[in-house]
């Protein structure tokens, strides 16, 4: 039986989908494509859902910066752009002559993007010797079976950086293989720079970050550990230019004194001796450890430890230090909050860039994290900002949830009087100085940590806040 003909309105609707897909492919953003099409962002999101349903393909993969087309979407890019350009030209007002429409070549800006049908339809328009996308993919697949680490890494670089129609994001296993080669010291320096630069410029995907994290954990030696040794992983990778006091360390200390086991790991760009985090941790009795074994021992004895990333892995530390060479962040910076070297059952991290927060949550889910909280802020460390409203991105029993936290009134800030920043910071901990603004930051951060460790829902946030204040008021009784 012949299929029933489509209704006219269905055909018109599908043409609208193609024009919307063209805008999405050009802009790589739902909001910008919506603006181009003269519609709202929610409406464009619904249209993208319809496109995915029609083609039975994700069409785009979310990255930290933009939407990345799938190979299927890339294969249609030229045909859809040509169709959209022709439609725009036909709808543009033209002068009419006795013989029909006349077009001024000087004013014509809608000429087809391609002069002939796409490669998949007319292979004859290929340049002499130019490989088809299919042959390029087969070539990469063969390289991927090689035992030579540099050849495999070259394959991964080509996979993400070969250009439109030939490139795609790495899968989790491919990203793990690529980063494992780098961490093992088997990569050419040019390959390292190419992989990190192309990936960061294009925007990392959750699968790529998850693969990097798995490789890093294996490299550090996390494979044999179990989540029973640490309750909360607390990354703290802050800028060396930051002059803000690390109040989050005092919040971590509160949880440790109440019986939770906390691992802090991080870097502040100033080395292991003069760094702000090292000095502050020592000032309130948080052990600073020079090896994973020492950190595990400190957590078992005192419930908390801080370990610089250089003590976890000199290779990862050197890669992180590429910032001074490139003068820009790389995918290594994006990786660090997901490191979780002791495989803690819960993770709490701070992520500055809004686009990266959902990305890190998605990567955490791929890594099997059951409880995670991601805070926004002006530093890459988990520290609450209670004086402005914020949304906490969470994984609760592995399910993504958002928790809106309203702003609280901001108490008066007290200026430093005859004290260094570190002296003042420690004086707040010991109770020599009362600073309600600092206290609110510390207790709000501790409340978020308590909620994360418990894996609680939104209804448990206020009780956690009250409990954090109780821990703060009782801190001097159990201070070491």
């Amino acid at each position: 039986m012949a299929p029933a003909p489509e209704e006219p309105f269905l055909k018109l609707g599908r043409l609208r989908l193609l024009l919307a897909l063209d805008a999405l492919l050009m802009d790589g953003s739902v909001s910008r494509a919506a603006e181009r099409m003269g519609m709202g962002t929610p409406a464009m999101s619904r249209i993208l859902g319809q496109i995915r349903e029609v083609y039975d393909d994700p069409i785009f993969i979310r990255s930290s910066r933009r939407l990345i087309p799938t190979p299927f979407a890339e294969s249609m890019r030229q045909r859809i752009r040509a169709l959209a350009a022709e439609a725009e030209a036909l709808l543009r007002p033209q002068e009419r002559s006795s013989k029909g429409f006349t077009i001024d070549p000087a004013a014509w800006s809608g000429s087809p993007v391609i002069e002939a049908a796409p490669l998949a339809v007319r292979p004859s328009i290929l340049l002499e010797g130019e490989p088809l996308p299919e042959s390029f993919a087969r070539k990469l697949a063969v390289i991927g079976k090689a035992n030579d680490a540099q050849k495999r890494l070259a394959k991964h670089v080509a996979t993400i950086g070969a250009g439109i129609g030939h490139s795609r994001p790495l899968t989790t296993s491919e990203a793990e293989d690529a980063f494992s080669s780098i961490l093992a010291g088997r990569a050419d320096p040019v390959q390292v720079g190419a992989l990190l630069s192309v990936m960061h410029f294009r925007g990392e995907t959750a699968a790529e970050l998850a693969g990097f994290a798995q490789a890093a954990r294996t490299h550090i030696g996390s494979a044999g550990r179990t989540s029973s040794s640490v309750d909360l992983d607390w990354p703290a990778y802050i800028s060396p230019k930051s002059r803000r006091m690390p109040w989050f360390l005092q919040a971590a200390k509160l949880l440790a004194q109440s019986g939770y086991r906390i691992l802090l790991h991080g870097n502040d760009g100033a080395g292991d001796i003069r760094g702000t985090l090292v000095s502050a941790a020592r000032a309130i009795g948080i052990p600073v450890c020079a090896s994973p074994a020492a950190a595990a021992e400190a957590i078992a004895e005192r419930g908390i430890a801080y370990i610089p990333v250089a003590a976890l892995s000199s290779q990862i530390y050197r890669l992180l230090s590429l910032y001074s060479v490139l003068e820009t962040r790389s995918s290594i910076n994006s990786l660090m909050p997901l490191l979780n070297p002791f495989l803690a059952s819960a993770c709490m991290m701070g992520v500055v860039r809004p686009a990266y927060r959902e990305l890190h949550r998605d990567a955490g889910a791929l890594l099997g994290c059951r409880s995670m909280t991601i805070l926004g802020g002006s530093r890459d460390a988990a520290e609450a900002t209670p004086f402005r409203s914020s949304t906490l991105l969470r994984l609760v029993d592995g399910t993504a949830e958002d928790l809106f936290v309203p702003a609280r009134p901001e108490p008066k800030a007290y200026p430093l009087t005859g004290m260094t920043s570190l002296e003042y910071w420690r004086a707040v901990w010991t109770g020599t100085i009362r600073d309600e603004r600092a206290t609110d930051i510390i207790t709000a951060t501790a409340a978020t940590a308590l909620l994360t460790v418990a894996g609680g829902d939104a209804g448990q946030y206020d009780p956690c806040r009250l409990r954090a204040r109780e821990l703060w008021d009782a801190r001097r009784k159990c201070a070491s």
Side-chain angles (χ1 to χ4, degrees):
M1 179 182 290
E6 284 188 297
E7 295 292 336
F9 72 89
L10 289 177
K11 293 181 180 179
L12 289 173
R14 293 201 170 191
L15 285 174
R16 184 167 175 262
L17 295 184
L18 292 177
L19 295 177
L21 179 54
D22 174 64
L24 288 163
L25 286 167
M26 285 196 297
D27 291 302
S29 163
V30 172
S31 59
R32 289 196 296 272
E35 184 178 353
R36 179 186 293 270
M37 294 286 290
M39 63 175 64
T41 301
M44 180 58 76
S45 296
R46 289 193 294 272
I47 289 177
L48 177 55
Q50 294 171 17
I51 294 170
R52 286 169 167 160
E53 184 176 348
V54 167
Y55 288 112
D56 192 24
D57 185 84
I59 302 298
F60 293 101
I61 300 170
R62 182 192 298 159
S63 80
S64 56
R65 297 191 174 189
R66 60 185 177 89
L67 299 176
I68 299 177
T70 62
F72 174 76
E74 281 287 6
S75 72
M76 298 194 298
R77 182 192 289 270
Q78 290 183 320
R79 297 174 66 187
I80 290 174
R81 179 81 284 269
L83 172 67
E86 193 69 18
E88 292 164 3
L90 290 172
L91 291 173
R92 186 177 293 109
Q94 311 289 347
E95 287 188 11
R96 189 178 182 89
S97 69
S98 59
K99 296 183 179 180
F101 288 109
T102 60
I103 299 174
D104 178 8
W108 173 255
S109 61
S111 57
V113 174
I114 52 175
E115 298 298 332
L119 306 186
V121 180
R122 289 264 313 272
S124 59
I125 68 170
L126 283 168
L127 297 177
E128 184 177 357
E130 183 179 349
L132 286 165
E134 292 83 358
S135 62
F136 187 79
R138 285 194 296 270
K139 173 186 173 183
L140 292 182
V142 172
I143 295 175
K145 298 176 183 178
N147 292 324
D148 189 310
Q150 286 194 7
K151 287 185 178 179
R152 292 203 316 275
L153 190 54
K155 172 229 177 180
H156 299 315
V157 174
T159 298
I160 65 174
I164 293 175
H166 294 87
S167 62
R168 61 168 174 79
L170 297 179
T171 64
T172 299
S173 59
E174 288 172 336
E176 183 177 3
D177 180 59
F179 200 49
S180 294
S181 298
I182 292 172
L183 292 175
R186 295 193 294 265
D188 186 277
V190 174
Q191 292 178 312
V192 177
L195 183 75
L196 297 181
S197 296
V198 172
M199 185 180 292
H200 186 66
F201 178 78
R202 184 214 61 206
E204 305 92 337
T205 65
E208 289 169 339
L209 288 180
F212 272 32
Q214 288 175 345
R217 292 174 184 179
T218 301
H219 171 73
I220 292 170
S222 302
R225 297 195 179 99
T226 63
S227 59
S228 59
S229 60
V230 174
D231 296 311
L232 181 64
D233 182 76
W234 200 319
Y237 294 83
I238 65 175
S239 168
K241 301 176 183 178
S242 175
R243 295 295 179 266
R244 295 181 58 194
M245 300 180 188
W247 298 116
F248 64 90
L249 289 180
Q250 298 193 17
K253 179 76 170 180
L254 286 181
L255 263 70
Q257 291 185 166
S258 64
Y260 293 103
R261 295 161 298 181
I262 312 295
L263 175 68
L264 295 148
H265 56 92
N267 181 58
D268 53 21
D272 297 341
I273 299 176
R274 299 178 292 105
T276 301
L277 294 180
V278 170
S279 301
R282 287 173 173 162
I284 59 172
I286 296 177
V288 177
C289 303
S291 69
E297 184 178 346
I299 291 171
E301 293 180 356
R302 305 180 65 176
I304 191 170
Y306 170 74
I307 181 168
V309 66
L312 285 170
S313 165
S314 59
Q315 186 76 329
I316 294 177
Y317 176 71
R318 284 193 290 268
L319 289 168
L320 193 61
S321 300
L322 285 176
Y323 181 91
S324 60
V325 177
L326 303 174
E327 281 301 325
T328 185
R329 295 166 65 94
S330 73
S331 300
I332 307 302
N333 297 88
S334 304
L335 157 71
M336 301 315 294
L338 295 163
L339 196 57
N340 192 5
F342 280 27
L343 306 181
S345 53
C347 306
M348 188 170 79
M349 65 187 69
V351 178
V352 173
R353 301 181 182 184
Y356 281 73
R357 292 169 198 157
E358 287 193 29
L359 186 70
H360 280 75
R361 179 169 63 181
D362 291 347
L366 290 174
L367 289 165
C369 183
R370 306 299 297 172
S371 181
M372 173 184 284
T373 301
I374 301 173
L375 297 83
S378 58
R379 70 192 317 165
D380 286 327
E383 182 173 285
T385 53
F387 314 122
R388 66 168 183 262
S389 58
S390 60
T391 299
L392 306 179
L393 274 65
R394 308 187 61 220
L395 287 174
V396 181
D397 196 22
T399 302
E401 292 185 5
D402 292 348
L403 172 60
F404 176 76
V405 180
R408 295 169 59 87
E410 184 171 3
K412 180 181 178 181
Y414 294 90
L416 299 180
T417 53
M419 288 180 151
T420 66
S421 297
L422 181 60
E423 289 170 342
Y424 184 91
W425 184 85
R426 187 176 185 279
V428 171
W429 172 257
T430 60
T432 306
I433 290 177
R434 289 182 59 84
D435 186 332
E436 284 303 318
R437 185 179 185 280
T439 298
D440 282 355
I441 294 173
I442 296 166
T443 54
T445 304
T448 305
L450 288 168
L451 185 70
T452 304
V453 171
D457 57 25
Q460 297 181 24
Y461 182 75
D462 287 337
C464 286
R465 187 189 289 275
L466 293 175
R467 175 58 178 158
R469 185 68 198 213
E470 291 173 359
L471 294 176
W472 176 255
D473 292 338
R475 71 192 183 283
R476 281 170 286 180
K477 297 177 183 178
C478 53
S480 57

